[in-house]
Amino acid sequence: MKRRDFGQYCGLARALELVGERWALLIVRNLLVRPRRYTELQTGLAGIPTNVLATRLKELEQAGIVERQVAPAPARGVVYALTPVGQSLEPALLSLARWGATQLGDPQPGDVVTPEGAVLNLRAQFQSSQAAGTTAAWEIHVRDVVVHAVVADGALTTGLGPAPVEPDLTITVALADGELASYRAIISAMRDGLVELKGRRKLLDTFLRVFTVPRGA
């Protein structure tokens, strides 16, 4: 599969040549959360053809964005991880995700959401100005997915699974049967009180202030 070459001496053109092919940025998105095995990438990118995943990974490796690593003990085998060059894509991805969220509209039949998307949304919607001076840890449970967000002196750490420290507030979100577990639906449930809280209940308001973009912004 031949990659596009725009023939323009332009940073945006070069970026699109490197990561503008279909699925490429979603692979980067998933690897921003943590290194992944090939099969984990395939599972987390529902609908990606096997040959396309293999091609994109090869292209991203050749571009110095992705590298193969030996999985740390006790796991075995090879995982794909972002290089420092790949990790430096995060601010651009978060900006693009924030813009894209304003263009989503209503969910369509067949749409899916991924745990990695939930983590990316936490990072994208994080309001550092609202988090100044805040130190707290949240765990969010939505059906069979658990994500965490830890703010220490205004700096964010987030990822899949339980929080690395004892959470100050655990939020279990109740969604209607068949409702897509989108970030928008999760935040709406929190605002409507459709949650079970364990811990410092006042931190729910803090979470909503810190992890949502103000209306009109």
Side-chain angles (χ1 to χ4, degrees), residues 63-210:
I65 294 168
V66 168
E67 64 182 1
R68 301 185 196 201
Q69 298 178 351
V70 177
R76 295 181 178 180
V78 172
V79 295
Y80 291 90
L82 294 178
T83 66
V85 171
Q87 292 168 0
S88 70
L89 277 165
E90 182 167 356
L93 249 68
L94 296 184
S95 293
L96 193 58
R98 281 190 292 270
W99 180 83
T102 68
Q103 308 299 313
L104 276 176
D106 294 327
Q108 299 300 307
D111 281 351
V112 299
V113 295
T114 67
E116 291 82 4
V119 173
L120 189 76
N121 272 303
L122 283 170
R123 296 180 188 178
Q125 303 300 328
F126 178 63
Q127 303 296 297
S128 57
S129 61
Q130 295 293 326
T134 297
T135 296
W138 293 269
E139 243 180 51
I140 300 96
H141 296 238
V142 186
R143 295 182 178 138
D144 59 347
V145 174
V146 178
V147 298
H148 64 265
V150 180
V151 176
D153 295 325
L156 174 65
T157 301
T158 187
L160 291 172
V165 296
E166 184 69 21
D168 297 293
L169 180 64
T170 298
I171 307 170
T172 302
V173 179
L175 297 177
D177 291 343
E179 183 176 8
L180 197 66
S182 66
Y183 193 77
R184 181 190 301 174
I186 291 167
I187 293 299
S188 293
M190 290 183 183
R191 286 178 171 150
D192 293 341
L194 302 176
V195 293
E196 179 183 324
L197 304 177
K198 179 182 177 183
R200 295 166 54 191
R201 302 174 69 89
K202 290 184 177 180
L203 285 175
L204 177 60
D205 290 336
T206 305
F207 181 91
L208 290 171
R209 185 179 72 251
V210 170

